[in-house]
Amino acid sequence: MTTPLKSFLTLALAALITASCTLDPECTWEDMYPEFETYSVLDSLEQRDIILMGPEFDPSLGIAKEYIIRTDSAYKELLQFSKDEGCNYCNYPEIDFAKYVLVGFSTEINCQAINFIKVSQTPDGLRYSLKLVDQTQCNDLLCDNFSFNWVLIPTTYNTDTITFETGIARYFCDC
């Protein structure tokens, strides 16, 4: 066999093998918190945009920590570090604690992820549910996305017992 023919067949075989391969990853979407979709939501809830310096700066804050704030003094204590450090991007809205209880759950999330919150009534009290939906495939974009996921619950509800649940829906890929 001549060298040009041998080269041609080698290239043709390589092209055939390469054409059958894909560089795209195989991804499977998995919802590991499907019960979230069945939960009802309390009436009169308000999400609240409170921005503080994250736990990388404030040692009193933590990731995956439950927050239930019932008084002005507890709220002031929560905000104190960010205020003392003169945080220019922080947000501290006024809250009437005679009418509301402030509830949050802190999480760190990927850049492309979104959190969804539901607070529902159960026989044992209230259930605060947080679902992370992450569309990321094959890369972890590192962002300093830290979220408290605050919600105001009217004091007309019994807030003595609040249980917290979290779950995730995301892609699993063969990257």
Side-chain angles (χ1 to χ4, degrees):
M1 194 178 317
T2 66
T3 305
L5 181 58
K6 204 187 267 187
S7 297
F8 173 77
L9 289 176
T10 304
L11 287 174
L13 182 61
L16 183 63
I17 291 170
T18 307
S20 67
C21 294
T22 178
L23 296 179
D24 293 334
E26 290 290 323
C27 294
T28 305
W29 179 257
E30 189 171 340
D31 185 351
M32 295 178 285
Y33 191 28
E35 60 273 22
F36 179 86
E37 306 309 324
T38 66
Y39 294 158
S40 59
V41 179
L42 295 179
D43 293 330
S44 309
L45 291 178
E46 291 182 33
Q47 282 194 265
R48 189 55 70 180
D49 186 22
I50 301 170
I51 302 171
L52 306 174
M53 294 178 81
E56 68 274 15
F57 298 107
D58 186 349
S60 70
L61 302 177
I63 296 174
K65 185 174 177 183
E66 304 164 357
Y67 292 89
I68 301 172
I69 310 293
R70 302 178 192 282
T71 63
D72 287 320
S73 59
Y75 185 54
K76 287 178 185 171
E77 185 178 323
L78 175 72
L79 307 179
Q80 193 62 51
F81 183 87
S82 293
K83 283 188 171 186
D84 285 350
E85 294 300 314
C87 179
N88 60 358
Y89 62 86
C90 292
N91 184 34
Y92 323 110
E94 293 293 320
I95 297 173
D96 183 350
F97 287 100
K99 295 181 181 179
Y100 295 101
V101 173
L102 177 64
V103 178
F105 186 82
S106 58
T107 57
E108 189 173 35
I109 62 176
N110 284 337
C111 297
Q112 299 174 0
I114 300 170
N115 286 340
F116 294 92
I117 303 166
K118 287 184 179 179
V119 178
S120 51
Q121 189 80 49
T122 72
D124 300 323
L126 297 179
R127 174 180 43 232
Y128 175 103
S129 307
L130 178 67
K131 184 173 186 175
L132 176 76
V133 178
D134 189 354
Q135 299 288 334
T136 306
Q137 293 184 17
C138 291
N139 67 5
D140 261 343
L141 299 175
L142 298 176
C143 299
D144 288 332
N145 280 351
F146 180 77
S147 177
F148 282 98
N149 307 292
W150 296 115
V151 64
L152 293 175
I153 301 174
T155 55
T156 54
Y157 291 101
N158 182 353
T159 60
D160 291 341
T161 304
I162 301 174
T163 58
F164 291 80
E165 290 183 1
T166 63
I168 188 168
R170 64 177 288 248
Y171 282 106
F172 289 91
C173 302
D174 65 347
C175 305

